[in-house]
Amino acid sequence: MFFNEEGILNIDEAVLETPSYKKIMEDGIVTEEELVSQAQKVVSMLQTMEKKYNEEQLSEIKALLTESSVLYAVYNIHSIQNLNK
Amino acid sequence: MATFNTKKILYASPSLIPAIAERILDQFRAEGYEVNCDQLSNGGYDISLRKGGFFKSVLGMKSALKISLQPRNNEIAFEAGVGIFGQQVIPTAISMFFFWPVLITQIWGMVKQSKLDDQALQIAEEVIYYSNSNNNCSTNNYANTAKRFCTACGAENKAEAKFCNACGTKLD
């Protein structure tokens, strides 16, 4: 589901196959409108999930999103620190 | 970032950088790696190494072991990390993919397990060693004492070895 046969994360393959990514990248240019539209789509999905799943399931989803966001944030902060060295 | 790269200052003249780069490219090319080398305006070299099945593509971009050789005063700064094939970026600037930090951790783990960074570093140190020991060292002389590395386990073998002395894998 999340990993390929070598145990490596395969989410980017799923990204490449996602209609929204394909549509946005069709002309090779990302516009502000496309960025806003994608952001709204994410918010809309979260709102739908909030109604659809129970509290325990939502807690797990939120924990994953939060931990992933922490990783992404600290990774980029670390990269900026290195640039300033 | 020690977690994601290997860094070492090599105490040798930066004039040796082209020879080191050439030797690293030759060695990995001989082992079936796809290689790319860019000479930088400061005299440094940026090398990309990848092999199918080892480095995955991320959003259509091929990940690779990136080796940077940079002149630093009268020394050579060696750095190996994971980046994108052919791009002069080491190793962590590409963060366009949300899960890039996860992928870089996984790929770097495979690099460390296979000791690819150590292999590249050892090649660099050997070039320096032979250059220091004999300034007139010929290519043939070097080749006679060169070592081979097992692509399966990373173990060092004699140049003439046909099989790995550590795991028994046939050496190409």
Side-chain angles (χ1 to χ4, degrees), chain B residues 1-171:
Chain B
M1 182 154 44
T3 311
F4 293 136
N5 61 26
T6 296
K7 286 181 183 177
K8 189 165 184 182
I9 296 295
L10 303 172
Y11 298 102
S13 166
S15 64
L16 282 175
I17 288 177
I20 294 169
E22 190 180 344
R23 183 70 192 158
I24 289 172
L25 289 167
D26 286 348
Q27 179 79 38
F28 280 91
R29 196 182 283 121
E31 293 180 17
Y33 281 81
E34 184 182 351
V35 300
N36 181 75
C37 183
D38 292 310
Q39 186 173 4
L40 309 177
S41 56
N42 66 352
Y45 276 73
D46 193 275
I47 298 169
S48 296
L49 307 164
R50 75 183 304 277
K51 205 172 192 176
F54 197 93
F55 294 97
K56 71 168 280 179
S57 291
V58 183
L59 295 183
M61 298 179 297
K62 296 187 282 189
S63 64
L65 175 64
K66 307 284 293 179
I67 294 165
S68 167
L69 297 163
Q70 300 288 338
R72 190 91 27 103
N73 299 325
N74 209 23
E75 298 156 351
I76 301 169
F78 172 99
E79 187 173 344
V82 176
I84 298 299
F85 190 87
Q87 286 193 4
Q88 293 174 17
V89 179
I90 279 199
T92 58
I94 304 120
S95 57
M96 60 188 283
F97 180 54
F98 191 70
F99 283 103
W100 176 250
V102 176
L103 284 172
I104 200 174
T105 303
Q106 290 192 302
I107 296 171
W108 183 241
M110 291 166 73
V111 167
K112 291 303 290 178
Q113 199 172 1
S114 302
K115 298 181 180 173
L116 289 182
D117 56 328
D118 291 340
Q119 183 178 344
L121 180 57
Q122 187 161 356
I123 292 167
E125 288 176 331
E126 283 176 1
V127 171
I128 292 166
Y129 175 79
Y130 288 109
S131 171
N132 288 343
S133 63
N134 182 2
N135 286 333
N136 298 318
C137 177
S138 70
T139 306
N140 284 341
N141 201 4
Y142 179 81
N144 287 339
T145 50
K147 297 177 179 67
R148 307 181 72 180
F149 293 86
C150 176
T151 53
C153 71
E156 182 180 303
N157 292 272
K158 288 181 181 174
E160 63 274 18
K162 289 187 170 53
F163 296 91
C164 175
N165 61 18
C167 70
T169 299
K170 188 176 181 186
L171 302 173

Side-chain angles (χ1 to χ4, degrees), chain A residues 7-8 11 23 28 37 56 61 79 81-82:
Chain A
I8 306 292
I11 305 288
K23 187 169 178 294
S37 170
E56 192 184 344
I61 293 167
S79 296
Q81 284 172 351
N82 279 354

